[in-house]
């Protein structure tokens, strides 16, 4: 299983970024995918998930700002992040939530005030 994230970077508060995660080695269309983040000195936090039936979940702090989506034809999951805040600064990782959980290497998102 391989998960490769991209799209992170440095952005000013109020800005936007779109993260992508390309998956291989799994039956993507039936797999629940998620985005997690971990800030320095903090525990890893679940940000959003999307099931195979497109049902989504968001942690409260990102509702109405972030959107998770998937393209089964491309085996890719996305995280559209709008109105970014400094507290969104973290390493963002993609996860394939099967029996075991598979992780990508992460992409850094830094939001300056």
């Amino acid at each position: 299983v391989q998960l490769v994230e991209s799209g992170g970077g440095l952005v000013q508060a109020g800005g936007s970024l779109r993260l992508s995660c390309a998956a291989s080695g799994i039956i993507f269309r039936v797999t629940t995918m998620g985005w997690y983040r971990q800030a320095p000195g903090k525990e890893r936090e679940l940000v959003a998930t999307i099931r195979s039936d497109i049902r989504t979940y968001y942690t409260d702090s990102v509702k109405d700002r972030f959107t998770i989506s998937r393209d089964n034809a491309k085996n890719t999951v996305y995280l559209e992040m709008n109105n970014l805040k400094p507290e969104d600064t973290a390493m963002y990782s993609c996860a394939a939530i099967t029996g075991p959980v598979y992780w990508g290497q992460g992409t850094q998102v830094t939001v300056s005030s």
Side-chain angles (χ1 to χ4, degrees):
V1 178
Q2 189 173 22
L3 303 173
V4 180
E5 300 99 332
S6 60
L10 173 64
V11 64
Q12 289 187 332
S16 299
L17 284 173
R18 187 194 197 203
L19 307 183
S20 300
C21 172
S24 60
I26 57 173
I27 304 174
F28 184 82
R29 68 181 186 279
V30 300
T31 301
T32 294
M33 301 297 296
W35 285 97
Y36 290 73
R37 66 186 179 187
Q38 187 167 20
K42 295 187 176 182
E43 293 187 355
R44 184 164 56 198
E45 173 189 29
L46 174 61
V47 176
T49 61
I50 184 165
R51 296 177 9 169
S52 58
D53 60 3
I54 314 299
R55 289 187 182 183
T56 57
Y57 162 84
Y58 298 93
T59 193
D60 285 346
S61 62
V62 308
K63 285 180 180 177
D64 300 323
R65 298 190 299 123
F66 290 12
T67 302
I68 189 170
S69 62
R70 64 192 297 158
D71 185 337
N72 290 340
K74 296 181 178 180
N75 285 6
T76 300
V77 61
Y78 305 96
L79 186 67
E80 183 77 32
M81 305 185 294
N82 297 312
N83 190 21
L84 282 159
K85 303 176 180 181
E87 52 264 43
D88 295 318
T89 294
M91 180 69 75
Y92 284 71
S93 297
C94 163
I97 305 168
T98 63
V101 178
Y102 298 98
W103 298 94
Q105 83 288 351
T107 185
Q108 179 67 37
V109 172
T110 303
V111 184
S112 63
S113 56

